Amino acid sequence: MTTNSIRQTLALGKRSTLELFRQPAIVLPSMIFPLFFSFLGNSSFGRTTSLPGFPKVSSYLQFQLAGTIVQGVLFGSVTGAAALATDIENGFFDRLLASPTSRTGILFGRLAGSVLFGAFSTAVFIFALLPFGADVSAGIRGIIAMIISGALISLAVGALMSSVALKTGSSEAVQGTFPLLFILLFFSSAFFPRETMSGIYKTIAGFNPISHLVEGIRALSLDGFTASATARAVLVPFAIAIVALFIANSQLNKRLRSN
Amino acid sequence: MNTATGTSTITSTSTMIHEKDLHTTTMRSAGQLIKRSLINTRRLPSAFIPTLAMPIFNMVSFSGTFFALTKLPGFPTDRSINWFMPLGLAMGSAFSGVGLGFSLIRDLENGFYDRLRMSPTSRISLIVGPVLATWIRVTLVAIFVFIVGGLLGARPTAGVLSYVCSLVAALGISTIGAGWGLGLAFRFQDMRGAAIMQLSIFLTMFMSTAQVPLNVMTGWLHAVARINPITNIFRLSRSGWVNESSTGYMSWSNAYGGLIAITVLSVLSLIFAVRSLQKIDK
């Protein structure tokens, strides 16, 4: 990447970040709903922490923290990708193509906004739930690792959703993937441990990538700052992000060729 | 005197005819609106399928994910599907109801509703027709949910009454949702109303015994769910699906609270819809 490309990517990244933060009505639900579900879950399932198979936790909220982070980051990433699709719909994407802008910068600039928002919302969730019993056993280093993990999950999901945006050019299609994410979330270990599930549900949750994203962050929250917990929290989303970026980049190239 | 009497007779006869005509027009118009709504369901299955899929998804995912809840002491059933099937049905019914508000917003935006208002259609039929159409859709959804639930292991503990109570609760919730959705759509006349419809229904449903019974809840939710009338509707809906030994099992004392909640909330929400419609006319 040349200096110019980096400058252009940074400018586009700044634009996408400001765009997200300037539209609180679009972004706030992705933060309020996960927090609401956390408090709801804490009151509803508070007594389940003594069930056989449930990990040792100080409160259900401590168990739920990781699920809340992933839930918020998933929904926020859809918003970011929908904004890319809107750029395609309203012609801004074509204007960028007409200018001598770095092509990959268009994609990476958009994803930068999602990554920053992912890190920001992760920090908000941690500090909003901490006073209510969502302790992070890994301490401050664990919180930093969790924020990095949140940013990487945002990058991974944002890149996958951007592939949909680049392929379809429709914000409606991107929003249409929301129920799919919702289903994936509910069939994962985001709200209840896999150990308490049985039969087909346990198998589905085991294969579901969302379970692994959640359990990585949960390991930091419950087990403390260990090498394996940090590796799970950071490396799993990192690996998914690499694959997702590859897919998004090929979709971008396809769109460029068709243009 | 004679003239006066004659005039009075004519006026009285004309009022009688007018009232009779009005009644016939209301029912005929409501019938046409039901027909239109059902034809739309057939022509636009994409709009109806989510209503059908949502309760199934709710039922399947919740009963699988939260299966371990049934092992908690005092949980009223040992089958998680028995507990979560009425929740799925209630959610589907509520969103079928507020879905009326969405279609009304579309009709308001594309001008169809203005044409209805300009025609000599009875105003009440504009509410009665869609609500009755929702009842038909909710009944279809309920049959589908009962079949899928049965296949997944849901077993009634009070025979046919189990299905009847769940269906009554579902129809009640859809009426409340419909009145609320129509009222908000008349007030806002654009998609801002849709967001409020969804959010308010979602919060009201979940801040009740939607997920767990009162004896399992702790903290603030217990206090809120205890006074939330939707809790009574869930008690009615689940009374035929919990164990016979449970305190929530089918009995008049577990049913009347739900029936009162349905009646009062339905009347209030429909009054809200009628008042909001009158506001548009003004």
Side-chain angles (χ1 to χ4, degrees), chain B residues 192-215:
Chain B
R192 281 174 307 157
I196 299 174
M197 281 173 216
Q198 280 180 314
L199 196 67
S200 51
I201 287 284
F202 201 75
L203 293 181
T204 317
M205 298 283 282
F206 272 98
M207 286 197 287
S208 69
T209 49
Q211 299 188 100
V212 289
L214 278 173
N215 62 316

Side-chain angles (χ1 to χ4, degrees), chain B residues 145-169:
Chain B
V145 167
F146 290 146
I147 292 172
V148 177
L151 291 173
L152 293 174
R155 296 290 175 266
T157 52
V160 180
L161 268 181
S162 309
Y163 296 100
V164 173
C165 284
S166 292
L167 182 62
V168 168

Side-chain angles (χ1 to χ4, degrees), chain A residues 222-256:
Chain A
L222 305 184
D223 304 341
F225 193 74
T226 61
S228 76
T230 314
R232 279 179 82 186
V234 176
L235 292 183
V236 173
F238 181 74
I240 298 176
I242 297 289
V243 177
L245 281 172
F246 178 76
I247 297 170
N249 201 44
S250 12
Q251 282 305 331
L252 175 70
N253 288 333
K254 269 187 195 166
R255 180 162 277 275
L256 292 177

Side-chain angles (χ1 to χ4, degrees), chain A residues 17 25 47 68 223 238:
Chain A
T17 311
R47 291 200 174 141
T68 305
D223 304 341
F238 181 74

